Amino acid sequence: RVYTDFGLLTADPAIGADAADLFNSLTGCCAAPLSYRKLLVAPHTLREGILSRIEREIERHREYGDGCIIFKMNALVDRNCIVALYRASQEGVVVLLQVRGICCLRPGVPGVSEEIKVTSIVGRFLEHARLYYFRNGGKEEVLLGSADLMPRNLDRRVEVLFPVEDLSLASWLMRTIIPVHLEDNVKNRMLLPDGTYTQVPREPGQPARNAQEWCVSHRAEWEGQKRNAPQKS
C-alpha cells in the first residue's frame, strides 16, 4: 500500500530453475551460470540483454517504422546503454524514459536524441520500480526487476530482470500503470536538453493527474484486476 516496487508471483518452471541456479551460486554451492533460461542477471547477461533488445527495436523500426522503448528506473548512467538509446532515437525509435534520479542522457538534442523524452516523478512515495518495455513489432516484451542502468548495477552487483509473460498482467502494466505515470501533470518534471528540469505543462482545462494519488485511490481496482485475471493452464 505504501511502496512502489513491481513484483511477480509465478510458478513458471524456467524462472524457478533460474532462481535456484542464481541462489545456489550466491551461496557458493556451484559456480555462477554464464547464461539463464529467462532471467537477465548482472554482471553476466543483463547489460547485453538490454543492448540486444534496443538493437532489435532499431532493426524493427528500420523495416516497419513502429519502434518504441519505454523504461522506468531510478538512474540512467551507463554509457553503453545511453549510446544505444541515442542510436535508437537517431533511427526514429520513440523512446520514453522515466528516471526518478540521476540521468546522464540528454533528451531533445537535435540530431542526437530528438525522439527521446525524459520525465521524473518525486512525490509522497519513493518511485522505486524498474520496468523495461520493448514494443517488438507487437510481440510486446515487459521486463521488471531490481537493476538501474548504471555500471555499479551492471558490473559490480548481482541484479535480476525477469519477464512478465502473462498477457493480462503485462497489458495491465502497459495500458494502465505506465500511462498513469507518464501522464502525471502534478509531480512530473521534464528533463530539458540543457540538463535542467521543468514542470510538465498542463493544458488549459486539463484535470490534475497525480500518478501516486491515482494508484492509492485505485488500489482496490488494481487488486480486483489481479484476482480476476485469467490464469494460464
Side-chain angles (χ1 to χ4, degrees):
R1 293 183 180 181
V2 296
Y3 207 54
T4 62
D5 271 335
F6 294 136
L8 175 71
L9 295 177
T10 179
D12 184 294
I15 293 180
D18 279 350
D21 288 346
L22 173 62
F23 281 98
N24 284 337
S25 70
L26 291 175
T27 60
C29 292
C30 59
L34 297 180
S35 63
Y36 291 82
R37 301 159 186 84
K38 292 188 176 181
L39 299 184
L40 298 181
V41 180
H44 300 297
T45 64
L46 206 156
R47 179 190 279 110
E48 184 53 41
I50 292 294
L51 293 177
S52 66
R53 285 164 173 80
I54 294 174
E55 184 62 33
R56 182 185 66 190
E57 207 67 23
I58 291 172
E59 293 297 327
R60 168 75 191 190
H61 189 84
R62 285 173 178 164
E63 186 170 358
Y64 297 100
D66 59 355
C68 181
I69 294 170
I70 301 174
F71 291 171
K72 182 175 175 63
M73 69 193 96
N74 280 357
L76 175 56
V77 176
D78 186 72
R79 179 183 178 88
N80 291 341
C81 293
I82 290 172
V83 169
L85 291 171
Y86 283 155
R87 287 186 56 250
S89 173
Q90 291 160 24
E91 293 288 345
V93 177
V94 173
V95 180
L96 304 177
L97 307 175
Q98 190 158 88
V99 187
R100 177 178 64 89
I102 184 171
C103 180
C104 294
L105 176 149
R106 294 292 179 91
V109 177
V112 177
S113 55
E114 293 169 284
E115 297 296 329
I116 303 178
K117 179 180 178 181
V118 179
T119 57
S120 173
I121 290 179
V122 178
R124 174 185 175 191
F125 302 120
L126 177 64
E127 286 287 320
H128 203 252
R130 283 86 166 190
L131 179 148
Y132 299 89
Y133 165 86
F134 304 88
R135 181 175 286 164
N136 191 27
K139 298 179 181 179
E140 297 175 302
E141 185 173 16
V142 180
L143 300 168
L144 305 178
S146 62
D148 293 314
L149 299 185
M150 307 177 72
R152 73 177 189 187
N153 298 79
L154 302 178
D155 298 325
R156 300 192 295 275
R157 290 182 177 179
V158 176
E159 304 268 8
V160 171
L161 294 181
F162 54 87
V164 179
E165 297 181 326
D166 184 292
L167 297 181
S168 63
L169 296 179
S171 178
W172 180 256
L173 286 169
M174 297 315 307
R175 307 293 181 264
T176 303
I177 299 301
I178 293 306
V180 163
H181 285 79
L182 293 178
E183 295 168 8
D184 184 305
N185 58 20
V186 176
K187 294 296 185 180
N188 225 353
R189 299 296 184 268
M190 183 182 301
L191 179 60
L192 301 179
D194 65 0
T196 62
Y197 286 84
T198 186
Q199 186 169 4
V200 172
R202 188 187 308 173
E203 300 296 329
Q206 185 182 38
R209 298 173 180 171
N210 185 314
Q212 294 188 355
E213 288 185 0
W214 185 95
C215 287
V216 170
S217 63
H218 288 73
R219 63 185 182 274
E221 176 185 332
W222 166 233
E223 292 295 325
Q225 174 75 14
K226 290 189 293 184
R227 285 195 299 270
N228 298 327
Q231 301 298 312
K232 287 184 176 180
S233 59

